Amino acid sequence: MNLKTTYLGLDLKNPIVPSASPLSQRLDHMKQLEDAGASAIVMFSLFEEQIRAEAESLEDMLSMGTDSFAESLEFFPRASEYSVGPDAYLNLISDASASLDIPIIGSLNGVTPTGWIDYARNIQEAGAQALELNVYHVATDLNESSVQVEQRYVDILKAVKASVDIPVAIKLSPYFSSMANMSKRLVEAGCDGLVLFNRFYQPDYDLESLQVTADLNLSTSHEIRLPLLWLAVLKNRLNTSLAASTGVETHVEVLKYLMAGADVTMTASSLITKGPGHVRSLIDGLTEWMDEHEYVSVEQLKGSMSQSAVADPSTFERANYIKILEKNKAEYTLTG
Ligand SMILES: Cc1cc2nc3c(=O)[nH]c(=O)nc-3n(C[C@H](O)[C@H](O)[C@H](O)COP(=O)(O)O)c2cc1C
């Protein structure tokens, strides 16, 4: 069984990649991920806000509670766990690159094309073999147009690309007016891979305390359909690597994502819940299924059910939406 795949120009032994999460905060956990079979590891993010506030501790930043840290707050459910300053972050990449045999992918997370981007080069120099760029921008400014929002992504990507030689992937949210065009623009601007998607952490209200809560729910496999759609649509239409992120719980989601067109499938929630050893179950499940269904390689699976490969490409578009509504009308019509 040939599980090999290529992502961002990296030859990987299989398509299972732990995505950015607290699991990459400790070398021993990273080692456990490698031992369980992970083919690469994406580090948790180094945030623009952290780099800006290098002199301050992360706890101080969070206790300021200003809007400018809203995004990082969403990603820091247990702030103390992430108390890794920029220097410690680079040291961790350096140690991991030296002691593990699999590629380490650094992660930078920010929203402005300014000085913090210099850290991309530091991450490269520390030994990362690729970089994932997460532009977690919540466009709440009434005066920022969609054109400006999109340009922000392109500008940040170009600035990062100009400062490194390693491949750069960009982790996107699905909330663009034209996901297809945005993806094309990013590829034209030099991006080597798209990670679909970033999970958008939305606030809730606690009705008793009348507080806005920012808790983080881990994902379930029910959430794969949006990334699945866009992977299937973009496969074979852009010259770039594709990574699936969100909702991989078992080998079933891995298979679906590969068939849609992913080069790798990433997972965070399932590893947090089940531990690093879960990587092995994903690989074993994938291998068994391929064996039973007479697939010999991951390459054979990749994109085999993308929009360009299926008999009826309209299944991914408006025509299918109308069909589904019509079909379900009968089923859901109330009687009596
Ligand atoms: C506790 C936690 C911490 C995370 N930290 C980061 C991060 O630092 N940078 C990032 O880009 N994504 C981060 N993510 C997002 C994950 O990498 C991933 O994209 C998202 O959780 C969807 O994948 P999943 O459904 O497998 O969890 C984090 C997710 C979780 C659950």
Side-chain angles (χ1 to χ4, degrees), residues 7 15-25 29-30 33 38-45 75 82 89 103 105-107 132 134 171 195-199 201 218-219 243-248 257 264-272 279 282:
Y7 175 61
I16 311 297
V17 176
S19 58
S21 86
L23 277 168
S24 52
Q25 286 182 121
H29 289 157
M30 285 197 261
L33 290 168
S39 63
I41 296 176
V42 183
M43 299 286 297
F44 62 95
S45 295
F75 266 137
Y82 266 104
Y89 188 84
I105 302 176
S107 170
E132 187 174 284
N134 185 340
K171 190 172 187 181
V195 183
L196 309 181
F197 287 113
N198 212 349
R199 205 150 164 263
Y201 297 102
L218 298 177
S219 72
S245 168
T246 298
V248 170
Y257 274 146
V264 290
T265 57
M266 297 186 170
T267 172
S269 294
S270 78
L271 300 178
I272 292 170
V279 169
L282 295 175

Side-chain angles (χ1 to χ4, degrees), residues 70-102:
E71 292 93 332
S72 37
L73 262 174
E74 306 299 341
F75 266 137
F76 288 107
R78 290 181 295 273
S80 54
E81 285 190 8
Y82 266 104
S83 302
V84 176
D87 290 343
Y89 188 84
L90 297 175
N91 288 338
L92 192 52
I93 292 190
S94 171
D95 291 347
S97 305
S99 55
L100 304 187
D101 290 326
I102 53 175

Side-chain angles (χ1 to χ4, degrees), residues 317-328:
E317 293 177 4
R318 180 176 164 83
N320 196 51
Y321 156 75
I322 299 171
K323 264 189 236 162
I324 292 170
L325 291 191
E326 286 303 321
K327 195 173 135 219
N328 283 280

Side-chain angles (χ1 to χ4, degrees), residues 197 224-233 253 256-257 260 316:
F197 287 113
I224 71 163
R225 290 190 182 199
L226 192 58
L228 195 77
L229 164 70
W230 286 109
L231 288 162
V233 169
E253 293 75 54
K256 289 181 182 177
Y257 274 146
F316 293 94

